[in-house]
Amino acid sequence: MTRLAKQYRLLLRAYPPGHRRTELLDTLLDAAPATRNHPTARETANLLRHGMRARLGRPGGRAVVVLATLIALTAGFIGAAAATRAAWELVPGYPTGTALAEISDTVFPSHPTTAEPNGTGLFFDVGERNTAEVLLQGHDEDFEFATVTIAPEPYFLPGDFRTWTATTEGRLVKAGWQVGPAEVTGATTIATGEVDDTGRRFTATRDGLALTIEPTTDVVDTPRGSFYVTATLDRLTPGYVTAAGALGLLTGALIGWLLTGWASRRTESGHTPARATAAVSAVFALVLLLPQALLGFLILGYQMHSDGPPGKPFWTLSLTYGFGCGQLGAVLIAVALIAAAAARRPAEEVSQIAASRWRRSWERSP
Amino acid sequence: MAKPMREPTFWILTALARSPRHGYGIIQEVTALSEGQVTLQAGTLYAALDRLHAEGLLEVDRDEKVDGRDRRYYRLTDHGAAALNTEAARLAANARTAGRQLEGRRRNPGPATA
């Protein structure tokens, strides 16, 4: 087999197994000029596009394309979330020991401090649910990435918070942190929108960490002439986590498309109960899952746009408020796939696949 | 009233009007009949063949093995011939209408309007 034929055969794997692959190979080889060694870019795009469409069966049908696109979008979201979650395991943990002490000393020099992580692992869940509980009922609404809060003992520093903010920004810059602008915080008068200037908030970043510092005089029992202050350490999303998420999105979308195609082709002929069950289950599953996927993508887009730490994972809604919908959606997807598996495959496709398998085994035999 | 055909569909049916053809035969015939205006990509051709087969406009004529390669021939069904006939009549009527309008313009050129 020529090199060109091998490359065409590889591209033709975009098509479902069967007679069509060998038929197309014949046509492509006939149409290729003798000087051609590789498929052209136009041919490649054309074969991938029509091959992926052919995977869905039902030629000329538009509904199946819409359904497959929405399922691919939803599966892409699940893939992106799973890959991002897995990649976060590779991100270095929060600094401890001298590294943490260096940060504490930079923010609160010559003050005793405490540094407390709010979670033992990657995430914080106020309900502290174990794996079994999470699988049954999801996470608490406060589910978010774990942080480390550094605070002076006993939380209050003497002096003016404005002056302290300016000198702290200077110390952080000197220590190699990139310091963002400080915003005024305090109670807001609703009628005028005016903010009562009682505090500051600013974020500094360095080595994949974000340090958010909030001095304020608003806290109850703040002694006169003092202010309350905390510094919260978060981790920024590393580039490889984003890349893993993108790869997970593409993989999930591809799996969603191929599964839809498989189910669609199996239920293509006749109006059988299996066909109706598969279609209705898939549509209801989408009603439950698609909004979560779209909201998740919106959150992801916002997080990628902002320079700060992610705060909450972009799939948070699916593990908190949307958990029940997700569970039911997963059950409905399983029902759709079981119904498709139970459907009788069109006789023509079965015979084509059998013939193609027999041909391959015959070609391989000595 | 039938929907106008897409150009590849029209040319594929036209290429099959006289005799059954296989994939590459259809591509060659379409290029020749359209005087090089339409060159079908293989993926586009087979997507259209699947659709036309599902719509009953064409059917499989026979399978052959040539130099160890699978080759399937397609032929126009009566339904396909009728659809092509309808489309050809529609295009001819359109062409006649355009011709009449252009003839009128030549005979009686009016003032230019915005």
mmCIF file of all heavy atoms in Angstrom, chain A residues 15 19-20 22-31 42-43 46-47 50 54 59-60 348 352 359, chain B residues 6 22-24 27 39 41-47 50-51 54 63 65-66 69-72 74:
data_model
loop_
_atom_site.group_PDB
_atom_site.id
_atom_site.type_symbol
_atom_site.label_atom_id
_atom_site.label_comp_id
_atom_site.label_asym_id
_atom_site.label_seq_id
_atom_site.Cartn_x
_atom_site.Cartn_y
_atom_site.Cartn_z
ATOM 1 N N TYR A 15 -14.804 8.207 9.387
ATOM 2 C CA TYR A 15 -16.091 7.622 8.982
ATOM 3 C C TYR A 15 -16.395 6.401 9.844
ATOM 4 O O TYR A 15 -15.475 5.759 10.355
ATOM 5 C CB TYR A 15 -16.030 7.199 7.511
ATOM 6 C CG TYR A 15 -16.166 8.368 6.566
ATOM 7 C CD1 TYR A 15 -15.093 9.192 6.296
ATOM 8 C CD2 TYR A 15 -17.378 8.656 5.967
ATOM 9 C CE1 TYR A 15 -15.216 10.281 5.445
ATOM 10 C CE2 TYR A 15 -17.512 9.739 5.110
ATOM 11 C CZ TYR A 15 -16.436 10.547 4.853
ATOM 12 O OH TYR A 15 -16.573 11.618 4.029
ATOM 13 N N HIS A 19 -18.487 -0.318 4.631
ATOM 14 C CA HIS A 19 -18.122 -0.286 3.215
ATOM 15 C C HIS A 19 -17.651 1.077 2.751
ATOM 16 O O HIS A 19 -16.794 1.200 1.880
ATOM 17 C CB HIS A 19 -19.357 -0.719 2.416
ATOM 18 C CG HIS A 19 -19.120 -0.799 0.948
ATOM 19 N ND1 HIS A 19 -19.274 0.281 0.111
ATOM 20 C CD2 HIS A 19 -18.703 -1.824 0.174
ATOM 21 C CE1 HIS A 19 -18.985 -0.086 -1.123
ATOM 22 N NE2 HIS A 19 -18.636 -1.352 -1.116
ATOM 23 N N ARG A 20 -18.203 2.126 3.382
ATOM 24 C CA ARG A 20 -17.939 3.479 2.911
ATOM 25 C C ARG A 20 -16.445 3.824 2.926
ATOM 26 O O ARG A 20 -15.942 4.513 2.045
ATOM 27 C CB ARG A 20 -18.746 4.465 3.764
ATOM 28 C CG ARG A 20 -18.589 5.941 3.472
ATOM 29 C CD ARG A 20 -18.637 6.299 1.988
ATOM 30 N NE ARG A 20 -19.738 5.726 1.260
ATOM 31 C CZ ARG A 20 -20.973 6.170 1.254
ATOM 32 N NH1 ARG A 20 -21.281 7.230 1.937
ATOM 33 N NH2 ARG A 20 -21.910 5.569 0.547
ATOM 34 N N THR A 22 -13.764 1.877 2.391
ATOM 35 C CA THR A 22 -13.031 1.316 1.248
ATOM 36 C C THR A 22 -13.501 1.945 -0.057
ATOM 37 O O THR A 22 -12.709 2.161 -0.974
ATOM 38 C CB THR A 22 -13.222 -0.205 1.189
ATOM 39 O OG1 THR A 22 -14.609 -0.486 1.306
ATOM 40 C CG2 THR A 22 -12.468 -0.885 2.297
ATOM 41 N N GLU A 23 -14.774 2.265 -0.116
ATOM 42 C CA GLU A 23 -15.320 2.893 -1.320
ATOM 43 C C GLU A 23 -14.695 4.278 -1.532
ATOM 44 O O GLU A 23 -14.287 4.641 -2.646
ATOM 45 C CB GLU A 23 -16.831 3.017 -1.139
ATOM 46 C CG GLU A 23 -17.590 3.291 -2.398
ATOM 47 C CD GLU A 23 -19.071 3.506 -2.097
ATOM 48 O OE1 GLU A 23 -19.512 3.264 -0.961
ATOM 49 O OE2 GLU A 23 -19.772 3.950 -3.017
ATOM 50 N N LEU A 24 -14.604 5.019 -0.436
ATOM 51 C CA LEU A 24 -14.003 6.357 -0.518
ATOM 52 C C LEU A 24 -12.520 6.278 -0.858
ATOM 53 O O LEU A 24 -11.994 7.098 -1.610
ATOM 54 C CB LEU A 24 -14.172 7.060 0.832
ATOM 55 C CG LEU A 24 -15.231 8.150 0.877
ATOM 56 C CD1 LEU A 24 -15.604 8.466 2.298
ATOM 57 C CD2 LEU A 24 -14.737 9.414 0.188
ATOM 58 N N LEU A 25 -11.845 5.281 -0.301
ATOM 59 C CA LEU A 25 -10.410 5.124 -0.580
ATOM 60 C C LEU A 25 -10.199 4.924 -2.081
ATOM 61 O O LEU A 25 -9.302 5.535 -2.687
ATOM 62 C CB LEU A 25 -9.863 3.928 0.207
ATOM 63 C CG LEU A 25 -8.373 3.662 0.025
ATOM 64 C CD1 LEU A 25 -7.547 4.827 0.570
ATOM 65 C CD2 LEU A 25 -7.963 2.370 0.730
ATOM 66 N N ASP A 26 -11.055 4.100 -2.685
ATOM 67 C CA ASP A 26 -10.955 3.868 -4.126
ATOM 68 C C ASP A 26 -11.130 5.173 -4.894
ATOM 69 O O ASP A 26 -10.337 5.499 -5.786
ATOM 70 C CB ASP A 26 -12.042 2.864 -4.530
ATOM 71 C CG ASP A 26 -12.063 2.626 -6.023
ATOM 72 O OD1 ASP A 26 -11.034 2.174 -6.546
ATOM 73 O OD2 ASP A 26 -13.103 2.919 -6.660
ATOM 74 N N THR A 27 -12.133 5.941 -4.512
ATOM 75 C CA THR A 27 -12.408 7.203 -5.207
ATOM 76 C C THR A 27 -11.255 8.199 -5.013
ATOM 77 O O THR A 27 -10.815 8.851 -5.967
ATOM 78 C CB THR A 27 -13.718 7.819 -4.677
ATOM 79 O OG1 THR A 27 -14.770 6.877 -4.883
ATOM 80 C CG2 THR A 27 -14.063 9.115 -5.370
ATOM 81 N N LEU A 28 -10.758 8.290 -3.790
ATOM 82 C CA LEU A 28 -9.677 9.249 -3.501
ATOM 83 C C LEU A 28 -8.414 8.896 -4.281
ATOM 84 O O LEU A 28 -7.745 9.778 -4.839
ATOM 85 C CB LEU A 28 -9.370 9.254 -2.000
ATOM 86 C CG LEU A 28 -10.414 9.933 -1.118
ATOM 87 C CD1 LEU A 28 -10.262 9.509 0.334
ATOM 88 C CD2 LEU A 28 -10.295 11.455 -1.234
ATOM 89 N N LEU A 29 -8.102 7.601 -4.340
ATOM 90 C CA LEU A 29 -6.879 7.198 -5.052
ATOM 91 C C LEU A 29 -7.026 7.411 -6.550
ATOM 92 O O LEU A 29 -6.081 7.813 -7.233
ATOM 93 C CB LEU A 29 -6.548 5.732 -4.740
ATOM 94 C CG LEU A 29 -6.097 5.480 -3.300
ATOM 95 C CD1 LEU A 29 -5.943 3.979 -3.037
ATOM 96 C CD2 LEU A 29 -4.784 6.195 -3.010
ATOM 97 N N ASP A 30 -8.221 7.175 -7.064
ATOM 98 C CA ASP A 30 -8.462 7.427 -8.487
ATOM 99 C C ASP A 30 -8.339 8.909 -8.815
ATOM 100 O O ASP A 30 -7.818 9.292 -9.859
ATOM 101 C CB ASP A 30 -9.868 6.952 -8.877
ATOM 102 C CG ASP A 30 -9.886 5.463 -9.186
ATOM 103 O OD1 ASP A 30 -8.799 4.903 -9.392
ATOM 104 O OD2 ASP A 30 -10.987 4.877 -9.187
ATOM 105 N N ALA A 31 -8.852 9.741 -7.906
ATOM 106 C CA ALA A 31 -8.902 11.184 -8.181
ATOM 107 C C ALA A 31 -7.553 11.871 -7.930
ATOM 108 O O ALA A 31 -7.323 12.981 -8.425
ATOM 109 C CB ALA A 31 -9.975 11.843 -7.302
ATOM 110 N N ARG A 42 -7.360 20.779 2.002
ATOM 111 C CA ARG A 42 -8.795 20.870 1.688
ATOM 112 C C ARG A 42 -9.453 19.491 1.776
ATOM 113 O O ARG A 42 -10.548 19.347 2.324
ATOM 114 C CB ARG A 42 -8.938 21.451 0.280
ATOM 115 C CG ARG A 42 -10.353 21.828 -0.056
ATOM 116 C CD ARG A 42 -10.446 22.531 -1.389
ATOM 117 N NE ARG A 42 -11.832 22.628 -1.792
ATOM 118 C CZ ARG A 42 -12.254 22.576 -3.032
ATOM 119 N NH1 ARG A 42 -11.385 22.478 -4.030
ATOM 120 N NH2 ARG A 42 -13.536 22.660 -3.317
ATOM 121 N N GLU A 43 -8.750 18.486 1.251
ATOM 122 C CA GLU A 43 -9.268 17.108 1.311
ATOM 123 C C GLU A 43 -9.389 16.649 2.757
ATOM 124 O O GLU A 43 -10.394 16.052 3.152
ATOM 125 C CB GLU A 43 -8.275 16.169 0.612
ATOM 126 C CG GLU A 43 -8.627 15.831 -0.800
ATOM 127 C CD GLU A 43 -7.561 14.912 -1.400
ATOM 128 O OE1 GLU A 43 -6.457 14.789 -0.837
ATOM 129 O OE2 GLU A 43 -7.845 14.342 -2.440
ATOM 130 N N ASN A 46 -12.262 18.321 4.417
ATOM 131 C CA ASN A 46 -13.510 17.812 3.833
ATOM 132 C C ASN A 46 -13.838 16.416 4.366
ATOM 133 O O ASN A 46 -14.979 16.126 4.737
ATOM 134 C CB ASN A 46 -13.344 17.802 2.301
ATOM 135 C CG ASN A 46 -14.638 17.463 1.596
ATOM 136 O OD1 ASN A 46 -14.859 16.315 1.243
ATOM 137 N ND2 ASN A 46 -15.486 18.459 1.397
ATOM 138 N N LEU A 47 -12.817 15.552 4.434
ATOM 139 C CA LEU A 47 -13.061 14.179 4.895
ATOM 140 C C LEU A 47 -13.390 14.150 6.388
ATOM 141 O O LEU A 47 -14.271 13.397 6.816
ATOM 142 C CB LEU A 47 -11.832 13.306 4.618
ATOM 143 C CG LEU A 47 -11.598 12.979 3.137
ATOM 144 C CD1 LEU A 47 -10.272 12.258 2.961
ATOM 145 C CD2 LEU A 47 -12.734 12.133 2.578
ATOM 146 N N HIS A 50 -17.073 15.632 6.782
ATOM 147 C CA HIS A 50 -18.141 14.737 6.332
ATOM 148 C C HIS A 50 -18.084 13.380 7.040
ATOM 149 O O HIS A 50 -19.115 12.736 7.224
ATOM 150 C CB HIS A 50 -18.078 14.576 4.818
ATOM 151 C CG HIS A 50 -18.505 15.818 4.093
ATOM 152 N ND1 HIS A 50 -19.790 16.298 4.154
ATOM 153 C CD2 HIS A 50 -17.809 16.696 3.324
ATOM 154 C CE1 HIS A 50 -19.878 17.415 3.439
ATOM 155 N NE2 HIS A 50 -18.684 17.678 2.930
ATOM 156 N N ALA A 54 -21.010 11.708 8.966
ATOM 157 C CA ALA A 54 -21.468 10.356 8.610
ATOM 158 C C ALA A 54 -21.579 9.476 9.856
ATOM 159 O O ALA A 54 -22.390 8.558 9.904
ATOM 160 C CB ALA A 54 -20.504 9.727 7.608
ATOM 161 N N PRO A 59 -28.667 10.490 7.106
ATOM 162 C CA PRO A 59 -28.220 11.505 6.143
ATOM 163 C C PRO A 59 -29.313 12.520 5.865
ATOM 164 O O PRO A 59 -30.476 12.153 5.693
ATOM 165 C CB PRO A 59 -27.910 10.699 4.877
ATOM 166 C CG PRO A 59 -28.054 9.278 5.229
ATOM 167 C CD PRO A 59 -28.643 9.140 6.564
ATOM 168 N N GLY A 60 -28.938 13.780 5.817
ATOM 169 C CA GLY A 60 -29.906 14.836 5.515
ATOM 170 C C GLY A 60 -30.647 15.323 6.747
ATOM 171 O O GLY A 60 -31.248 16.389 6.730
ATOM 172 N N GLU A 348 -27.934 -4.006 7.034
ATOM 173 C CA GLU A 348 -26.936 -3.682 6.008
ATOM 174 C C GLU A 348 -25.589 -3.361 6.672
ATOM 175 O O GLU A 348 -24.533 -3.835 6.244
ATOM 176 C CB GLU A 348 -27.403 -2.478 5.197
ATOM 177 C CG GLU A 348 -26.575 -2.276 3.953
ATOM 178 C CD GLU A 348 -26.890 -0.932 3.282
ATOM 179 O OE1 GLU A 348 -27.770 -0.209 3.765
ATOM 180 O OE2 GLU A 348 -26.222 -0.642 2.287
ATOM 181 N N GLN A 352 -22.021 -5.263 6.393
ATOM 182 C CA GLN A 352 -20.855 -4.538 5.886
ATOM 183 C C GLN A 352 -19.688 -4.673 6.841
ATOM 184 O O GLN A 352 -18.551 -4.896 6.435
ATOM 185 C CB GLN A 352 -21.195 -3.068 5.703
ATOM 186 C CG GLN A 352 -22.007 -2.819 4.454
ATOM 187 C CD GLN A 352 -22.439 -1.373 4.355
ATOM 188 O OE1 GLN A 352 -22.063 -0.550 5.176
ATOM 189 N NE2 GLN A 352 -23.225 -1.072 3.359
ATOM 190 N N ARG A 359 -12.592 -9.469 5.500
ATOM 191 C CA ARG A 359 -11.605 -9.075 4.488
ATOM 192 C C ARG A 359 -10.246 -8.790 5.144
ATOM 193 O O ARG A 359 -9.207 -9.207 4.679
ATOM 194 C CB ARG A 359 -12.108 -7.847 3.738
ATOM 195 C CG ARG A 359 -11.529 -7.738 2.349
ATOM 196 C CD ARG A 359 -12.277 -6.757 1.471
ATOM 197 N NE ARG A 359 -12.886 -5.649 2.148
ATOM 198 C CZ ARG A 359 -14.189 -5.461 2.259
ATOM 199 N NH1 ARG A 359 -15.031 -6.322 1.726
ATOM 200 N NH2 ARG A 359 -14.659 -4.407 2.879
ATOM 201 N N ARG B 6 -29.556 21.977 -4.320
ATOM 202 C CA ARG B 6 -28.221 22.554 -4.194
ATOM 203 C C ARG B 6 -27.421 22.143 -5.434
ATOM 204 O O ARG B 6 -27.698 21.104 -6.048
ATOM 205 C CB ARG B 6 -27.540 22.033 -2.931
ATOM 206 C CG ARG B 6 -28.075 22.717 -1.694
ATOM 207 C CD ARG B 6 -27.395 22.207 -0.459
ATOM 208 N NE ARG B 6 -28.126 21.070 0.092
ATOM 209 C CZ ARG B 6 -27.796 20.465 1.226
ATOM 210 N NH1 ARG B 6 -26.761 20.852 1.910
ATOM 211 N NH2 ARG B 6 -28.503 19.460 1.682
ATOM 212 N N HIS B 22 -19.668 5.026 -10.684
ATOM 213 C CA HIS B 22 -19.097 4.910 -9.344
ATOM 214 C C HIS B 22 -18.597 6.289 -8.905
ATOM 215 O O HIS B 22 -18.669 7.250 -9.686
ATOM 216 C CB HIS B 22 -17.978 3.870 -9.309
ATOM 217 C CG HIS B 22 -16.784 4.237 -10.109
ATOM 218 N ND1 HIS B 22 -16.790 4.265 -11.489
ATOM 219 C CD2 HIS B 22 -15.538 4.599 -9.740
ATOM 220 C CE1 HIS B 22 -15.593 4.631 -11.913
ATOM 221 N NE2 HIS B 22 -14.811 4.836 -10.874
ATOM 222 N N GLY B 23 -18.073 6.384 -7.690
ATOM 223 C CA GLY B 23 -17.699 7.680 -7.117
ATOM 224 C C GLY B 23 -16.822 8.527 -8.023
ATOM 225 O O GLY B 23 -17.170 9.667 -8.357
ATOM 226 N N TYR B 24 -15.682 7.975 -8.413
ATOM 227 C CA TYR B 24 -14.763 8.767 -9.233
ATOM 228 C C TYR B 24 -15.383 9.088 -10.595
ATOM 229 O O TYR B 24 -15.185 10.177 -11.140
ATOM 230 C CB TYR B 24 -13.440 8.018 -9.409
ATOM 231 C CG TYR B 24 -12.426 8.799 -10.219
ATOM 232 C CD1 TYR B 24 -12.092 10.107 -9.865
ATOM 233 C CD2 TYR B 24 -11.816 8.239 -11.334
ATOM 234 C CE1 TYR B 24 -11.180 10.833 -10.597
ATOM 235 C CE2 TYR B 24 -10.888 8.964 -12.076
ATOM 236 C CZ TYR B 24 -10.576 10.258 -11.708
ATOM 237 O OH TYR B 24 -9.680 10.990 -12.434
ATOM 238 N N ILE B 27 -17.495 12.118 -10.167
ATOM 239 C CA ILE B 27 -16.666 13.337 -10.056
ATOM 240 C C ILE B 27 -16.204 13.785 -11.437
ATOM 241 O O ILE B 27 -16.293 14.963 -11.802
ATOM 242 C CB ILE B 27 -15.443 13.072 -9.137
ATOM 243 C CG1 ILE B 27 -15.901 12.890 -7.690
ATOM 244 C CG2 ILE B 27 -14.434 14.225 -9.219
ATOM 245 C CD1 ILE B 27 -14.791 12.531 -6.712
ATOM 246 N N THR B 39 -16.097 21.116 -9.135
ATOM 247 C CA THR B 39 -15.212 19.979 -8.849
ATOM 248 C C THR B 39 -15.596 19.455 -7.478
ATOM 249 O O THR B 39 -15.403 20.129 -6.467
ATOM 250 C CB THR B 39 -13.732 20.418 -8.844
ATOM 251 O OG1 THR B 39 -13.484 21.136 -10.048
ATOM 252 C CG2 THR B 39 -12.804 19.229 -8.760
ATOM 253 N N GLN B 41 -15.475 17.412 -4.085
ATOM 254 C CA GLN B 41 -14.556 16.723 -3.177
ATOM 255 C C GLN B 41 -15.193 15.376 -2.831
ATOM 256 O O GLN B 41 -16.425 15.266 -2.766
ATOM 257 C CB GLN B 41 -14.387 17.542 -1.903
ATOM 258 C CG GLN B 41 -13.594 18.817 -2.073
ATOM 259 C CD GLN B 41 -12.093 18.550 -2.062
ATOM 260 O OE1 GLN B 41 -11.588 17.882 -1.188
ATOM 261 N NE2 GLN B 41 -11.398 19.067 -3.065
ATOM 262 N N ALA B 42 -14.341 14.376 -2.606
ATOM 263 C CA ALA B 42 -14.874 13.027 -2.353
ATOM 264 C C ALA B 42 -15.817 13.008 -1.146
ATOM 265 O O ALA B 42 -16.879 12.382 -1.187
ATOM 266 C CB ALA B 42 -13.725 12.055 -2.144
ATOM 267 N N GLY B 43 -15.432 13.709 -0.064
ATOM 268 C CA GLY B 43 -16.276 13.726 1.135
ATOM 269 C C GLY B 43 -17.637 14.335 0.849
ATOM 270 O O GLY B 43 -18.674 13.820 1.286
ATOM 271 N N THR B 44 -17.631 15.421 0.093
ATOM 272 C CA THR B 44 -18.896 16.099 -0.262
ATOM 273 C C THR B 44 -19.763 15.172 -1.115
ATOM 274 O O THR B 44 -20.978 15.072 -0.924
ATOM 275 C CB THR B 44 -18.602 17.390 -1.045
ATOM 276 O OG1 THR B 44 -17.642 18.150 -0.318
ATOM 277 C CG2 THR B 44 -19.843 18.213 -1.275
ATOM 278 N N LEU B 45 -19.113 14.478 -2.068
ATOM 279 C CA LEU B 45 -19.856 13.585 -2.966
ATOM 280 C C LEU B 45 -20.578 12.500 -2.170
ATOM 281 O O LEU B 45 -21.779 12.291 -2.344
ATOM 282 C CB LEU B 45 -18.884 12.936 -3.970
ATOM 283 C CG LEU B 45 -19.475 11.772 -4.756
ATOM 284 C CD1 LEU B 45 -20.528 12.267 -5.737
ATOM 285 C CD2 LEU B 45 -18.400 10.987 -5.478
ATOM 286 N N TYR B 46 -19.848 11.829 -1.273
ATOM 287 C CA TYR B 46 -20.471 10.700 -0.575
ATOM 288 C C TYR B 46 -21.512 11.160 0.454
ATOM 289 O O TYR B 46 -22.469 10.430 0.708
ATOM 290 C CB TYR B 46 -19.401 9.799 0.045
ATOM 291 C CG TYR B 46 -18.791 8.908 -1.016
ATOM 292 C CD1 TYR B 46 -17.594 9.248 -1.640
ATOM 293 C CD2 TYR B 46 -19.453 7.766 -1.439
ATOM 294 C CE1 TYR B 46 -17.058 8.458 -2.643
ATOM 295 C CE2 TYR B 46 -18.928 6.965 -2.445
ATOM 296 C CZ TYR B 46 -17.726 7.310 -3.037
ATOM 297 O OH TYR B 46 -17.223 6.533 -4.044
ATOM 298 N N ALA B 47 -21.316 12.355 1.013
ATOM 299 C CA ALA B 47 -22.361 12.884 1.902
ATOM 300 C C ALA B 47 -23.641 13.101 1.095
ATOM 301 O O ALA B 47 -24.747 12.776 1.546
ATOM 302 C CB ALA B 47 -21.899 14.193 2.527
ATOM 303 N N ASP B 50 -25.238 9.718 0.183
ATOM 304 C CA ASP B 50 -25.982 9.159 1.332
ATOM 305 C C ASP B 50 -27.347 9.825 1.452
ATOM 306 O O ASP B 50 -28.363 9.176 1.672
ATOM 307 C CB ASP B 50 -25.190 9.398 2.629
ATOM 308 C CG ASP B 50 -24.097 8.354 2.827
ATOM 309 O OD1 ASP B 50 -24.172 7.301 2.177
ATOM 310 O OD2 ASP B 50 -23.166 8.621 3.608
ATOM 311 N N ARG B 51 -27.328 11.157 1.325
ATOM 312 C CA ARG B 51 -28.576 11.908 1.478
ATOM 313 C C ARG B 51 -29.554 11.571 0.350
ATOM 314 O O ARG B 51 -30.737 11.323 0.593
ATOM 315 C CB ARG B 51 -28.265 13.416 1.482
ATOM 316 C CG ARG B 51 -29.446 14.324 1.743
ATOM 317 C CD ARG B 51 -29.003 15.744 2.008
ATOM 318 N NE ARG B 51 -27.978 16.210 1.090
ATOM 319 C CZ ARG B 51 -28.214 16.638 -0.141
ATOM 320 N NH1 ARG B 51 -29.438 16.648 -0.620
ATOM 321 N NH2 ARG B 51 -27.213 17.048 -0.911
ATOM 322 N N ALA B 54 -30.980 8.184 0.853
ATOM 323 C CA ALA B 54 -32.016 8.188 1.900
ATOM 324 C C ALA B 54 -33.318 8.801 1.386
ATOM 325 O O ALA B 54 -34.402 8.406 1.805
ATOM 326 C CB ALA B 54 -31.518 8.955 3.118
ATOM 327 N N ASP B 63 -21.946 -3.689 -7.024
ATOM 328 C CA ASP B 63 -20.613 -3.573 -6.416
ATOM 329 C C ASP B 63 -19.622 -4.333 -7.292
ATOM 330 O O ASP B 63 -19.941 -5.415 -7.806
ATOM 331 C CB ASP B 63 -20.614 -4.182 -5.004
ATOM 332 C CG ASP B 63 -21.325 -3.283 -4.010
ATOM 333 O OD1 ASP B 63 -21.080 -2.068 -4.030
ATOM 334 O OD2 ASP B 63 -22.147 -3.790 -3.216
ATOM 335 N N LYS B 65 -15.206 -5.268 -7.799
ATOM 336 C CA LYS B 65 -13.866 -5.215 -7.214
ATOM 337 C C LYS B 65 -12.897 -4.999 -8.370
ATOM 338 O O LYS B 65 -12.805 -5.821 -9.275
ATOM 339 C CB LYS B 65 -13.562 -6.526 -6.502
ATOM 340 C CG LYS B 65 -12.628 -6.334 -5.352
ATOM 341 C CD LYS B 65 -12.740 -7.489 -4.359
ATOM 342 C CE LYS B 65 -11.942 -7.206 -3.113
ATOM 343 N NZ LYS B 65 -12.480 -6.214 -2.244
ATOM 344 N N VAL B 66 -12.227 -3.841 -8.356
ATOM 345 C CA VAL B 66 -11.303 -3.509 -9.442
ATOM 346 C C VAL B 66 -9.903 -3.351 -8.840
ATOM 347 O O VAL B 66 -9.708 -2.513 -7.952
ATOM 348 C CB VAL B 66 -11.738 -2.200 -10.154
ATOM 349 C CG1 VAL B 66 -10.755 -1.841 -11.263
ATOM 350 C CG2 VAL B 66 -13.136 -2.348 -10.706
ATOM 351 N N ARG B 69 -9.794 -3.291 -5.223
ATOM 352 C CA ARG B 69 -10.445 -2.184 -4.493
ATOM 353 C C ARG B 69 -11.959 -2.230 -4.704
ATOM 354 O O ARG B 69 -12.432 -2.555 -5.796
ATOM 355 C CB ARG B 69 -9.884 -0.837 -4.980
ATOM 356 C CG ARG B 69 -8.396 -0.741 -4.737
ATOM 357 C CD ARG B 69 -7.871 0.674 -4.688
ATOM 358 N NE ARG B 69 -8.349 1.593 -5.661
ATOM 359 C CZ ARG B 69 -7.563 2.279 -6.498
ATOM 360 N NH1 ARG B 69 -6.248 2.087 -6.480
ATOM 361 N NH2 ARG B 69 -8.062 3.143 -7.334
ATOM 362 N N ASP B 70 -12.677 -1.903 -3.627
ATOM 363 C CA ASP B 70 -14.149 -1.920 -3.697
ATOM 364 C C ASP B 70 -14.644 -0.737 -4.513
ATOM 365 O O ASP B 70 -14.181 0.384 -4.341
ATOM 366 C CB ASP B 70 -14.736 -1.829 -2.283
ATOM 367 C CG ASP B 70 -14.457 -3.088 -1.504
ATOM 368 O OD1 ASP B 70 -14.413 -4.153 -2.123
ATOM 369 O OD2 ASP B 70 -14.265 -2.985 -0.272
ATOM 370 N N ARG B 71 -15.604 -1.004 -5.368
ATOM 371 C CA ARG B 71 -16.175 0.065 -6.185
ATOM 372 C C ARG B 71 -17.689 -0.141 -6.250
ATOM 373 O O ARG B 71 -18.156 -1.226 -6.606
ATOM 374 C CB ARG B 71 -15.548 -0.026 -7.583
ATOM 375 C CG ARG B 71 -15.941 1.100 -8.482
ATOM 376 C CD ARG B 71 -15.028 1.111 -9.682
ATOM 377 N NE ARG B 71 -13.734 1.674 -9.345
ATOM 378 C CZ ARG B 71 -12.757 1.860 -10.239
ATOM 379 N NH1 ARG B 71 -12.926 1.488 -11.482
ATOM 380 N NH2 ARG B 71 -11.610 2.400 -9.871
ATOM 381 N N ARG B 72 -18.427 0.854 -5.880
ATOM 382 C CA ARG B 72 -19.891 0.739 -5.891
ATOM 383 C C ARG B 72 -20.453 1.694 -6.937
ATOM 384 O O ARG B 72 -20.055 2.858 -6.987
ATOM 385 C CB ARG B 72 -20.441 1.054 -4.507
ATOM 386 C CG ARG B 72 -21.935 1.070 -4.420
ATOM 387 C CD ARG B 72 -22.427 1.108 -2.991
ATOM 388 N NE ARG B 72 -22.364 -0.231 -2.406
ATOM 389 C CZ ARG B 72 -22.776 -0.535 -1.169
ATOM 390 N NH1 ARG B 72 -23.272 0.414 -0.406
ATOM 391 N NH2 ARG B 72 -22.699 -1.761 -0.706
ATOM 392 N N TYR B 74 -23.741 3.649 -8.664
ATOM 393 C CA TYR B 74 -25.052 4.206 -8.284
ATOM 394 C C TYR B 74 -25.845 4.525 -9.550
ATOM 395 O O TYR B 74 -25.259 4.872 -10.584
ATOM 396 C CB TYR B 74 -24.871 5.488 -7.466
ATOM 397 C CG TYR B 74 -24.158 5.261 -6.163
ATOM 398 C CD1 TYR B 74 -22.764 5.299 -6.094
ATOM 399 C CD2 TYR B 74 -24.860 4.982 -4.996
ATOM 400 C CE1 TYR B 74 -22.089 5.071 -4.901
ATOM 401 C CE2 TYR B 74 -24.203 4.752 -3.797
ATOM 402 C CZ TYR B 74 -22.814 4.798 -3.757
ATOM 403 O OH TYR B 74 -22.156 4.561 -2.583
#
